[in-house]
């Protein structure tokens, strides 16, 4: 069996999980010289990301070892009482590559995780990669008057101020709101702006009729996406280059008194099966209005994709089928970058939830 085949096969019963602190020399065969061995990680996680951490280990236990952390508070003060995994009874963290799965879903959780990250940086790790799948402050990247805090910048400054570990911190953020957000990170903390679009492309290119085997699969032309749309020019600039070969529709907002009206600026919706693409959905007002405009212009069907389900649960539920005002989408596709919301979304309705796990494994290997 070749090294590549062995790497993809499941481990035997009782196989040990990865020990990322193990520095024993590896084979120097022709295969190992031509194929670089994947980095092995000790994985620590914020509570909402523990499921992802466990699934990483299950997917490749020779590469990922999940070290569970105890996140608690002192009863008398309410302050953090955190015990990081991997330190006892044997310190597996020292001189290892550490992957920390972060979830900045609240101010309190951010502070707790910063305390954990400082401790990791001061633990003589070989490298530290921070996965922050969704950067919730990314939309607050500019201000219109003095005194307003641009939290996209301040949180980036906090991450950039973590103690140095010897090599730059890799901060992986999926579909950051604007690409210029990456320049708020500085010093030894570098933003790696990865994207969930490959997950989307695999989904929309997948067979739409469930076959008994891949050889028997056929595409259902009634369900195929044939046009990509953007609710505003910002979304087009952010994602337009990911969809070569697709006709595109670009919408925009115009003011009509106190109201903002969405209109099609470029492209033709008539008879098209349209996929609206944006980085996140919160209240959903703009993406709903864009869908209505495309339906009114003769669009045959409208599906939405937003990488981040960033709204409150009640905001997301209004997209459910049967809602006369906003239940107008054939499908509403999101990813698991914000598990505090996607874990609560109703099943067997309009929502399609794409798991970031396979994309994360691929991106960690880049």
């Amino acid at each position: 069996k070749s090294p590549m085949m062995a790497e993809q096969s499941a481990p035997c019963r009782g196989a040990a999980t990865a020990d990322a602190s193990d520095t024993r020399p590896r084979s120097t065969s022709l295969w190992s010289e031509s194929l670089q061995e994947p980095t092995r990680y000790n994985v620590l996680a914020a509570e909402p990301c523990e499921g992802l951490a466990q699934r990483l280990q299950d997917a490749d236990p020779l590469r990922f070892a999940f070290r569970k952390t105890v996140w608690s508070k002192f009863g008398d003060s309410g302050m953090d009482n955190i015990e990081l995994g991997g330190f006892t009874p044997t310190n597996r963290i020292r001189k290892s590559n550490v992957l920390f799965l972060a979830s900045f879903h609240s101010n309190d959780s951010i502070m707790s995780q910063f305390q954990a990250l400082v401790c990791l940086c001061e633990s003589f790790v070989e490298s530290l990669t921070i996965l922050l799948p969704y950067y919730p402050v990314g939309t607050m990247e500019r201000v219109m008057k003095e005194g307003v805090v641009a939290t996209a910048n301040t949180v980036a400054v906090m991450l950039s101020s973590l103690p140095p570990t010897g090599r730059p911190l890799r901060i992986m953020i999926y579909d950051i709101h604007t690409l210029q957000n990456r320049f708020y990170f500085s010093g030894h903390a570098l933003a790696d702006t990865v994207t969930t679009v490959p997950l989307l492309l695999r989904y929309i290119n997948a067979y739409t009729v469930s076959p008994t085997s891949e050889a028997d699969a056929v595409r259902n032309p009634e369900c195929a996406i044939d046009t990509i749309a953007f609710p505003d020019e910002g979304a087009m600039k952010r994602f337009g280059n990911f969809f070569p070969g697709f006709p595109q529709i670009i919408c925009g907002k115009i003011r009509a008194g106190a109201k903002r009206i969405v209109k099609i600026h470029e492209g033709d919706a008539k008879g098209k099966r349209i996929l609206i693409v944006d980085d996140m959905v919160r209240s959903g007002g703009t993406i709903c209005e864009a869908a209505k405009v495309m339906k009114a212009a003769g669009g045959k069907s409208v599906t939405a994709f937003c990488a981040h389900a960033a709204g409150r649960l009640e905001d997301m539920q209004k997209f459910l089928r049967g809602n006369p005002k906003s239940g107008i989408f054939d499908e509403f596709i999101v990813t698991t970058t914000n598990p505090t919301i996607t874990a609560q979304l109703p099943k067997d309705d309009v929502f399609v939830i794409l798991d970031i796990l396979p994309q994360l494994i691929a991106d960690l290997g880049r």
Side-chain angles (χ1 to χ4, degrees):
K1 183 182 291 187
S2 74
M4 183 174 293
M5 292 174 63
E7 187 178 299
Q8 293 173 345
S9 62
C12 63
R13 184 181 298 274
T17 56
D19 180 355
S21 62
D22 184 355
T23 58
R24 291 175 295 177
R26 301 298 166 192
S27 168
T28 57
S29 68
L30 178 62
W31 277 102
S32 63
E33 290 174 354
S34 60
L35 297 175
Q36 183 177 359
E37 184 177 339
T39 302
R40 293 181 297 161
Y41 292 96
N42 280 310
V43 182
L44 290 86
E47 284 187 281
C49 299
E50 288 178 347
L52 176 60
Q54 184 61 58
R55 290 186 296 112
L56 267 174
Q57 177 175 290
D58 293 344
D60 193 344
L62 298 179
R63 187 177 173 197
F64 302 104
F66 174 34
R67 313 294 185 182
K68 186 174 174 58
T69 293
V70 177
W71 303 90
S72 60
K73 306 283 187 182
F74 287 105
D76 54 352
S77 66
M79 302 302 286
D80 283 317
N81 181 18
I82 303 167
E83 182 179 349
L84 297 174
F87 284 86
T88 58
T90 302
N91 190 338
R92 304 291 186 181
I93 302 302
R94 187 183 180 99
K95 294 185 179 180
S96 77
N97 300 297
V98 175
L99 171 63
F100 185 88
L101 309 184
S103 176
F104 284 8
H105 56 279
S106 69
N107 284 333
D108 181 65
S109 68
I110 292 173
M111 178 57 70
S112 298
Q113 289 167 77
F114 263 101
Q115 301 199 69
L117 288 167
V118 169
C119 181
L120 287 171
C121 289
E122 295 176 341
S123 298
F124 301 100
V125 297
E126 180 69 19
S127 70
L128 177 59
T129 297
I130 302 171
L131 172 70
L132 184 55
Y134 165 49
Y135 192 55
V137 295
T139 55
M140 192 59 184
E141 85 279 16
R142 54 186 174 181
V143 297
M144 303 302 293
K145 62 180 181 180
E146 292 292 336
V148 177
V149 178
T151 51
N153 174 61
T154 55
V155 173
V157 169
M158 292 167 68
L159 284 166
S160 301
S161 301
L162 287 169
T165 60
R167 64 174 64 181
L169 301 178
R170 180 186 184 187
I171 302 176
M172 299 176 64
I173 302 175
Y174 279 96
D175 296 308
I176 198 166
H177 182 60
T178 59
L179 286 177
Q180 55 264 38
N181 280 175
R182 69 187 302 174
F183 301 115
Y184 292 147
F185 297 87
S186 60
H188 66 283
L190 302 179
D192 186 0
T193 50
V194 286
T195 181
T196 60
V197 170
L199 292 173
L200 172 64
L201 290 173
R202 284 195 290 271
Y203 178 75
I204 65 175
N205 290 329
Y207 298 111
T208 55
V209 175
S210 298
T212 55
S213 69
E214 187 169 323
D216 298 330
V218 293
R219 181 180 296 280
N220 182 351
E222 292 302 312
C223 300
I225 298 296
D226 58 27
T227 301
I228 303 297
F230 305 102
D232 52 43
E233 188 174 347
M236 183 275 295
K237 290 179 179 178
R238 184 71 182 82
F239 294 103
N241 291 332
F242 287 110
F243 302 94
F246 280 92
Q248 296 188 356
I249 299 172
I250 304 170
C251 296
K253 296 176 184 176
I254 61 172
R255 290 188 177 274
K259 295 183 178 180
R260 286 189 175 185
I261 300 174
V262 176
K263 289 193 172 183
I264 295 175
H265 286 178
E266 296 181 27
D268 181 15
K270 187 174 181 179
K272 302 297 177 60
R273 301 180 184 90
I274 301 166
L275 174 65
I276 304 176
V277 176
D278 207 351
D279 66 318
M280 69 174 65
V281 55
R282 282 186 172 150
S283 68
T286 299
I287 202 166
C288 278
E289 290 303 312
K292 292 175 183 177
V293 167
M294 291 178 211
K295 283 276 194 178
K300 190 169 185 177
S301 67
V302 180
T303 294
F305 169 77
C306 294
H308 312 298
R312 299 169 301 174
L313 183 60
E314 51 265 39
D315 292 326
M316 300 299 297
Q317 288 176 329
K318 70 184 180 183
F319 298 117
L320 296 177
R321 297 188 178 107
N323 186 319
K325 291 185 177 180
S326 50
I328 56 177
F329 296 98
D330 285 37
E331 291 181 329
F332 203 111
I333 308 168
V334 295
T335 76
T336 56
T337 56
N338 189 19
T340 57
I341 295 299
T342 53
Q344 303 178 69
L345 292 179
K347 306 296 190 295
D348 302 320
D349 201 279
V350 70
F351 293 109
V352 174
I353 303 172
L354 304 181
D355 188 359
I356 66 169
L357 176 66
Q359 192 60 46
L360 171 58
I361 292 174
D363 290 331
L364 283 169
R366 291 191 300 112

